[in-house]
Amino acid sequence: MLLMSSLVASQLVMAGGIVSNTNQHAAYQRNFAREATSEIDAAYSNPAGLSFKEDGLEMAFSYQATFQERKTASTSPTFAMNSASLGEATRNYVGEIKAPFIPSLQLAYKKNNWAFYTNIAVSGGGGSCKFADGMGSTESTVSSLPTVANAIMGNRPLFNQYSVESNMEGSSYIFSLTLGASHKFDEHFSASLGLRGNYALNKYQGYVKNIQVNNPLGAGMVKPGELSAQMAQMNMIPSSTAQAVAALTADREIDCKQSGFGIAPILGMAVQFDRVRFGARYEFRTKIELENDTKNDARMPAYEDGLSLRSDVPAILATGLDVDLCKSLTLGLAYRHYFDNMAKISAYDSEWFNKAKYTGKGTSDIAAALEWKINDKWTVSATGMRTQYNVEDRFQSDLNFSLSCWSIGGGLKFSPVANIDINLAYFGVNYDDDYTKVYAPDMASYNPGRTDVYNRTANSFAAGINYRFGNKSKQAETVEQ
């Protein structure tokens, strides 16, 4: 009768597809269209563009902080029997996502026509999601308990209240290391080849405990296992029924860690002219198999100790165009497509299925940015992006849902001395209308079904520093003059 709902990896991504993070440098948050750049953050966004840099070694470190709320308004007739809110059929659940420290590091060395680079970042996930009061999918399996108990008692209306303590928390990280090289074939064209290793680490902890119903033999609330034992002693129900009730309503806990590793190549190209620059990269799908390390007997198929699960990082095609409208003003455009539907991501509801199969044709981003170079020390920018998810209804759940959105960002770059750039940026997300999902009744378990309405908010802040060793850039020389 009662099964604790599986706690799956919450999508903690602020920018990207259902898995991928594209905000891997502070400059991205003030300019979503970085795919044609040849600055140091090209180690992620446009590797081929690095061979157009000035000779020398450059390093960048960025710090990002991301905060989200995932809100679910869940409605079911049986929720009205919750003793904490009798008569209220709608329960509100909030999942708080906190990623207060997401670091990234880029290194690039350019000599003549060659550039060598590395990018170390959190390329997926990046924080923890906590549902302090549980969620509708969990409570709905408990809320029908009074109805089931009445049926056991010959449909006598003895039970009309329940209570439960529930808490779910999960964290998800994909740590990545990219190594690669870029070669400039002539003054206009370059190409790159890289290899990225992804280490995925997920942790889940949660419980459903202290389930109680009103006591028809006395006052207050009582655990079903204790009550059924009393009823069995009074010959009101068979002892086998009492044992089954105790087992099905016992406390459930989960403490599970999942980890896995995968490698994939990255191809890139860049074309540059005096006032126009173009960049493109293709990241191949990374196959990752996660293995469960479960400390307790969770009695849930998704968390069986030693079980292997697929959790691929989808392939990405990214293109960008920068156009100098005048000496101080640049327009940036970018398009990214995430081939989510071609990945494999194991998920479990009442059966195992490939969650990525229900992402339609994948996810797409279209971004634009304006960057104004005020002088050699100050640059400001503003940016916007449309992210279109094409997920189907089965993909969505109160644990993990994706909503199409508009993102707005802005910030500045400050060069206090010749070889240092400081980036400061912010971006926020405005999600589309709420998504409504209807769960059909399950008469076998006396579950009347429920309706969920999903919404979310998100904000992110970033700061970063770029440092050029040795040879000074042309911009730095201008500053000195």
Side-chain angles (χ1 to χ4, degrees):
M1 175 186 66
L2 176 62
L3 290 174
M4 178 178 173
S5 299
S6 62
L7 177 61
V8 301
S10 297
Q11 180 214 10
L12 308 179
V13 175
M14 271 291 294
I18 61 171
V19 174
S20 307
N21 284 349
T22 53
N23 47 325
Q24 296 188 23
H25 186 278
Y28 175 88
Q29 297 203 18
R30 63 177 181 84
N31 184 339
F32 297 144
R34 300 294 293 176
E35 272 66 24
T37 188
S38 58
E39 296 183 10
I40 181 64
D41 58 299
Y44 168 72
S45 58
N46 184 29
L50 290 170
S51 55
F52 288 100
K53 286 173 54 65
E54 291 78 24
D55 285 0
L57 175 65
E58 186 171 359
M59 178 186 72
F61 176 79
S62 294
Y63 156 83
Q64 300 180 60
T66 296
F67 304 93
Q68 297 186 44
E69 279 191 347
R70 300 188 178 197
K71 303 175 182 179
T72 300
S74 190
T75 302
S76 174
T78 53
F79 287 170
M81 292 186 287
N82 188 309
S83 62
S85 55
L86 285 174
E88 297 180 11
T90 298
R91 303 274 291 165
N92 293 299
Y93 307 91
V94 177
E96 294 185 349
I97 298 176
K98 296 180 179 179
F101 183 68
I102 308 175
S104 63
L105 177 70
Q106 291 83 30
L107 286 169
Y109 177 73
K110 163 69 169 23
K111 182 67 174 179
N112 298 326
N113 293 327
W114 284 93
F116 302 91
Y117 67 92
T118 184
N119 180 47
I120 303 172
V122 180
S123 59
S128 62
C129 181
K130 183 175 183 178
F131 295 86
D133 298 316
M135 57 199 71
S137 56
T138 301
E139 185 160 342
S140 65
T141 63
V142 178
S143 63
S144 58
L145 185 57
T147 305
V148 174
N150 287 333
I152 293 175
M153 298 304 297
N155 291 320
R156 288 182 289 172
L158 301 176
F159 300 93
N160 55 21
Q161 295 183 46
Y162 73 90
S163 64
V164 61
E165 295 178 18
S166 179
N167 182 288
M168 306 289 177
E169 184 170 1
S171 63
S172 177
Y173 295 88
I174 300 177
F175 303 100
S176 67
L177 169 65
T178 305
L179 299 172
S182 168
H183 181 69
K184 184 170 64 175
F185 292 90
D186 57 38
E187 61 178 329
H188 299 299
F189 178 76
S190 66
S192 65
L193 174 63
L195 197 65
R196 176 177 297 153
N198 288 314
Y199 174 71
L201 177 63
N202 303 327
K203 294 181 180 180
Y204 311 120
Q205 291 182 315
Y207 59 78
V208 175
K209 65 182 183 180
N210 199 25
I211 299 171
Q212 296 186 352
V213 293
N214 61 290
N215 187 355
L217 302 181
M221 306 291 286
V222 63
K223 289 187 175 183
E226 297 175 1
L227 179 62
S228 60
Q230 295 179 30
M231 289 183 168
Q233 291 178 354
M234 299 169 63
N235 295 320
M236 297 177 66
I237 59 173
S239 59
S240 58
T241 300
Q243 294 172 2
V245 169
L248 290 171
T249 59
D251 294 349
R252 297 287 178 95
E253 295 186 17
I254 178 67
D255 187 352
C256 177
K257 180 176 75 173
Q258 299 174 333
S259 60
F261 180 77
I263 298 177
I266 304 170
L267 302 178
M269 61 167 287
V271 179
Q272 294 200 6
F273 294 92
D274 289 342
R275 298 178 60 181
V276 178
R277 296 167 295 282
F278 174 80
R281 75 177 189 279
Y282 181 78
E283 304 178 21
F284 287 78
R285 175 179 62 89
T286 307
K287 178 183 176 181
I288 297 179
E289 288 193 1
L290 301 176
E291 182 173 332
N292 286 349
D293 179 9
T294 304
K295 295 182 179 179
N296 56 345
D297 181 12
R299 292 174 289 173
M300 290 177 286
Y303 300 104
E304 179 184 344
D305 187 43
L307 180 69
S308 293
L309 309 169
R310 284 289 290 274
S311 185
D312 296 352
V313 177
I316 303 173
L317 174 64
T319 60
L321 178 70
D322 282 356
V323 179
D324 294 334
L325 302 179
C326 61
K327 185 178 180 179
S328 60
L329 190 63
T330 299
L331 171 67
L333 301 171
Y335 172 78
R336 293 176 286 268
H337 184 76
Y338 308 85
F339 297 88
D340 301 326
N341 56 318
M342 299 176 66
K344 291 185 178 180
I345 301 176
S346 302
Y348 186 89
D349 45 24
S350 59
E351 62 181 358
W352 287 105
F353 68 100
N354 178 15
K355 192 178 183 73
K357 180 181 177 181
Y358 299 92
T359 59
K361 296 181 179 180
T363 305
S364 295
D365 285 339
I366 299 177
L370 277 175
E371 190 163 277
W372 177 30
K373 183 179 179 181
I374 301 173
N375 53 43
D376 290 324
K377 287 194 173 184
W378 293 94
T379 299
V380 296
S381 56
T383 188
M385 178 172 64
R386 172 64 180 178
T387 301
Q388 184 66 47
Y389 293 98
N390 297 293
V391 297
E392 300 175 22
D393 192 66
R394 191 176 186 186
F395 178 93
Q396 307 282 51
S397 73
D398 55 354
L399 290 162
N400 191 351
F401 57 88
S402 296
L403 303 176
S404 297
C405 59
W406 292 93
S407 300
I408 301 294
L412 59 86
K413 180 176 72 173
F414 174 55
S415 304
V417 294
N419 59 336
I420 293 178
D421 299 325
I422 297 173
N423 283 279
L424 299 173
Y426 160 83
F427 85 90
V429 184
N430 182 25
Y431 292 93
D432 286 1
D433 294 339
D434 299 348
Y435 184 89
T436 300
K437 178 164 184 173
V438 177
Y439 291 85
D442 181 5
M443 302 313 297
S445 61
Y446 296 88
N447 190 331
R450 74 179 194 277
T451 299
D452 285 354
V453 180
Y454 306 137
N455 199 350
R456 60 197 291 180
T457 61
N459 294 277
S460 185
F461 306 86
I465 183 169
N466 304 338
Y467 182 81
R468 291 177 290 277
F469 299 84
N471 292 336
K472 298 176 182 179
S473 68
K474 292 179 181 179
Q475 178 186 357
E477 293 170 357
T478 302
V479 171
E480 290 180 336
Q481 297 173 3

